[in-house]
Amino acid sequence: MQTALTTRMLSPDGPGLRAAAACLAAGGLVAFPTETVYGLGADAASPAAVARIYQAKGRPAFNPLIAHVGNLAAAQAIGRFNDDATRLAEAFWPGPLTLVLPKAARCAVADLATAGLDTVAIRVPAHPVAQAILAAFGQPLVAPSANLSGHVSPTSAAHVQSDLSGRIDLIIDGGPVAVGVESTIVGCFDRPMLLRPGGLPRADIEAMLGRALAQPPADVAVDSSQPLAPGMLASHYAPRTRVRLNATSLEPNEALLAFGGASVRGQEAAAATLNLSPRGDVVEAATHLFSYLRELDARRAKTIAVMPIPSEGLGEAINDRLRRAAVERDFRKPREQ
């Protein structure tokens, strides 16, 4: 049984950053902002620290974690870069892009963090607080989203506190994040492959490469016991309330996650309504996605009905998260109080 911790909330100033580095060096867990969502950081080289992440999140142990580093040189110490990977890193790092690469010969990332795979997922975050913590710590950090596994990903320190208070050591409050959906994941294999849509649109990557990204093989199921990359489980990023997609009308006791200026039949009787972007902007919608799902989930409606959202640009990542949130689960289990 896990003993409850005293979870401190600190500012991203000198004392806060030094406390974060010291906590990480001692094997502790530190939540901090990246430009995508808040991450839950631990020493990537420490199996014990990595195990604490799985324990704190209740995360499936077969789901690999992303290693965060401060720059390309640090990434090249843990992953083997081919020409495509180098071009992608130089074009989009720091930023919301994760590359899945073969492990370097002396890769420092613990096997537990890579789920036993021969590859490692690497990202260079752009957020200044994340960069400052990486510089203060001086080593790679694994940092999945700082939430209970399967819950909506956190876009503020308050979201982290709601899910993980008493389970982790420290939260660095850097304010709300800018992007609001996780990083795009590209596997750098024989041909670059899109493993997860995210904060960097597919079109930008394909324009830089000059060709289309490959898709994962059809026989690799997203709910496989051995996913290719983080975020590929089918039922992921899910609120407790049932989610219904592409809603054009509202049923009794449903909450509405709206998009754009149109309305749906029955909207006036909604249990609650939040609009991801009244002006129909998918970038604005991405920044609100997880926080709005959390707010509607707290209303305890029968269902969260989601209006159609276009798949252009970041809309692809938004719809990917919503499809995972809508995967059927056992809703008969009582809610945690």
Side-chain angles (χ1 to χ4, degrees):
M1 182 176 178
Q2 184 178 8
T3 302
L5 301 171
T6 299
T7 301
R8 295 182 294 161
M9 179 95 74
L10 298 179
S11 299
D13 52 14
L17 295 174
R18 287 192 291 274
C23 180
L24 292 163
L29 303 184
V30 177
F32 58 88
T34 76
E35 71 277 22
T36 56
V37 298
Y38 269 70
L40 180 58
D43 182 356
S46 167
V50 174
R52 286 195 63 200
I53 283 186
Y54 289 123
Q55 182 183 42
K57 285 176 60 69
R59 186 180 177 94
F62 49 79
N63 203 0
L65 306 177
I66 297 173
H68 291 62
V69 295
N71 52 50
L72 177 56
Q76 289 170 329
I78 60 176
R80 291 191 282 116
F81 282 70
N82 58 21
D83 290 343
D84 285 327
T86 300
R87 291 175 62 202
L88 288 168
E90 290 175 345
F92 298 116
W93 278 354
L97 173 68
T98 293
L99 299 178
V100 177
L101 308 162
K103 289 181 181 178
R106 296 185 179 180
C107 178
V109 178
D111 287 342
L112 183 60
T114 62
L117 301 175
D118 293 327
T119 56
V120 59
I122 310 174
R123 184 162 96 85
V124 178
H127 198 289
V129 174
Q131 280 284 333
I133 289 173
L134 285 163
F137 182 59
Q139 301 294 332
L141 295 174
V142 288
S145 56
N147 58 296
L148 291 173
S149 186
H151 285 198
V152 179
S153 294
T155 55
S156 71
H159 292 164
V160 180
Q161 190 173 44
S162 174
D163 261 15
L164 297 180
S165 182
R167 291 171 171 262
I168 66 175
D169 302 281
L170 184 61
I171 302 169
I172 301 297
D173 184 358
V177 302
V179 176
V181 293
E182 290 88 345
S183 60
T184 302
I185 301 181
V186 173
C188 294
F189 310 128
D190 293 337
R191 178 181 170 190
M193 178 183 295
L194 182 66
L195 298 179
R196 181 182 76 182
L200 180 65
R202 176 207 300 259
D204 292 3
I205 300 170
E206 293 179 338
M208 193 282 301
L209 290 172
R211 64 187 189 279
L213 290 166
Q215 293 297 119
D219 59 351
V220 177
V222 290
D223 60 349
S224 166
S225 63
Q226 192 74 5
L228 287 174
M232 291 187 72
L233 291 175
S235 181
H236 211 52
Y237 319 108
R240 297 177 181 88
T241 307
R242 188 185 303 276
V243 174
R244 181 168 68 87
L245 303 181
N246 299 314
T248 57
S249 63
L250 217 58
E251 299 173 3
N253 196 28
E254 286 193 322
L256 178 65
L257 186 63
F259 178 83
S263 60
V264 299
R265 182 167 52 85
Q267 181 171 341
E268 66 281 354
T273 300
L274 291 173
N275 196 319
L276 291 168
S277 175
R279 65 176 186 264
D281 181 351
V282 293
V283 176
E284 180 184 26
T287 66
H288 293 151
L289 177 63
F290 289 125
S291 62
Y292 283 12
L293 278 174
R294 280 180 176 270
E295 287 188 44
L296 293 179
D297 193 28
R299 302 298 180 95
R300 297 175 176 252
K302 180 183 73 174
T303 304
I304 299 172
V306 184
M307 289 175 60
I309 298 170
S311 287
E312 291 80 15
L314 290 185
E316 182 178 23
I318 293 169
N319 282 308
D320 175 77
R321 301 303 184 273
L322 289 170
R323 282 192 297 271
R324 296 173 190 273
V327 170
E328 290 292 332
R329 285 160 288 124
D330 188 353
F331 291 93
R332 296 167 297 176
K333 295 178 180 179
R335 294 171 180 264
E336 295 178 2
Q337 301 298 318

